[in-house]
Amino acid sequence: AQSVAQPEDQVNVAEGNPLTVKCTYSVSGNPYLFWYVQYPNRGLQFLLKYITGDNLVKGSYGFEAEFNKSQTSFHLKKPSALVSDSALYFCAVRDPGSNYQLIWGAGTKLIIKP
Amino acid sequence: DTEVTQTPKHLVMGMTNKKSLKCEQHMGHRAMYWYKQKAKKPPELMFVYSYEKLSINESVPSRFSPECPNSSLLNLHLHALQPEDSALYLCASSQAGTGAGNTIYFGEGSWLTVV
């Protein structure tokens, strides 16, 4: 079965430190992977995606993600966290049988402390 | 800033009311979506329109009725809702057709409370 796992419900990081939000996936065929962020009381914003090519993908707001095929992971990273990065982060993978459906992780709440 | 605009931002309705949520996108996309999201949970797909035709209905109760008047507009008509339907309703759009790498862009959502 196709699935996405975000193993941490919450991640706490001090401002200025590097951050990692973890995502692993299980999908048949080539994975198309996405990260979205949701700030409090807002809609979802697209951060970045991996389709093919370079395993390190750069996205919005200084975020990047590393695709690791052998570990079936797509972890979101940022070298230096800001308090304003505090939000809910969702990893998703395209359902292989659909052009429109995404399989979502449960979400990780990121808290950046000053 | 999102180019998917949703109105109203907040809606309170009684269980016997009829109301509508509206969505407009200005990205030239030909696929539009409705999602439902409960607090701190991932969004759940409800409907997808592709080239103005209903492509996916995820077994949504008939008290939710989607409509796609043209390639830029998407409505969700609400009737006889239940309190458990209270949620954030997200509209989204993407390029249509083949292309598993197409990005889905979301609006800010409409907060619905059913009383």
Side-chain angles (χ1 to χ4, degrees):
Chain A
Q2 331 288 351
S3 65
V4 175
Q6 293 182 243
E8 301 153 317
D9 290 336
Q10 183 169 308
V11 172
N12 297 299
V13 178
E15 187 177 27
N17 283 1
L19 69 87
T20 298
V21 183
K22 295 179 180 177
C23 173
T24 59
Y25 65 90
S26 174
V27 65
S28 57
N30 294 322
Y32 297 90
L33 296 152
F34 301 80
W35 275 104
Y36 287 85
V37 60
Q38 187 170 32
Y39 297 101
N41 300 316
R42 303 290 297 276
L44 278 80
Q45 294 183 32
F46 167 71
L47 277 179
L48 50 80
K49 67 181 179 183
Y50 173 81
I51 304 302
T52 186
D54 194 344
N55 290 341
L56 186 63
V57 179
K58 294 189 182 298
S60 306
Y61 312 122
F63 283 93
E64 58 190 25
E66 186 171 11
F67 172 67
N68 187 316
K69 187 173 183 178
S70 62
Q71 297 185 5
T72 62
S73 67
F74 190 54
H75 300 332
L76 182 70
K77 300 181 179 184
K78 187 173 182 181
S80 179
L82 300 173
V83 173
S84 57
D85 293 329
S86 299
L88 186 56
Y89 290 80
F90 291 102
C91 180
V93 66
R94 180 75 65 191
D95 185 326
S98 171
N99 289 323
Y100 302 118
Q101 287 161 308
L102 292 174
I103 300 165
W104 295 86
T108 299
K109 184 176 183 179
L110 178 64
I111 297 176
I112 309 300
K113 298 186 177 180
Chain B
D1 288 338
T2 181
E3 295 185 62
V4 179
T5 304
Q6 293 187 239
T7 56
K9 292 193 185 310
H10 298 274
L11 178 63
V12 179
M13 61 184 292
M15 289 188 285
T16 58
N17 290 162
K18 287 184 179 181
K19 296 286 186 182
S20 297
L21 306 180
K22 297 184 181 300
C23 176
E24 185 172 12
Q25 57 92 7
H26 300 283
M27 292 184 282
H29 290 160
R30 299 301 296 275
M32 295 187 75
Y33 308 68
W34 281 115
Y35 284 84
K36 173 183 177 181
Q37 187 183 25
K38 291 284 197 177
K40 301 181 182 179
K41 299 292 187 182
E44 302 169 28
L45 183 63
M46 300 175 71
F47 303 103
V48 180
Y49 275 82
S50 176
Y51 298 102
E52 296 85 66
K53 294 190 186 319
L54 185 62
S55 178
I56 296 174
N57 177 344
E58 292 285 12
S59 302
V60 179
S62 60
R63 58 185 184 268
F64 296 91
S65 176
E67 177 195 20
C68 189
N70 61 50
S71 60
S72 300
L73 295 174
L74 186 67
N75 299 322
L76 186 63
H77 303 297
L78 313 170
H79 174 56
L81 295 191
Q82 303 298 310
E84 59 265 28
D85 297 321
S86 299
L88 178 65
Y89 288 83
L90 293 162
C91 176
S93 71
S94 74
Q95 294 180 3
T98 58
N102 291 337
T103 300
I104 299 174
Y105 295 93
F106 289 84
E108 290 292 340
S110 293
W111 291 92
L112 174 67
T113 302
V114 181
V115 297

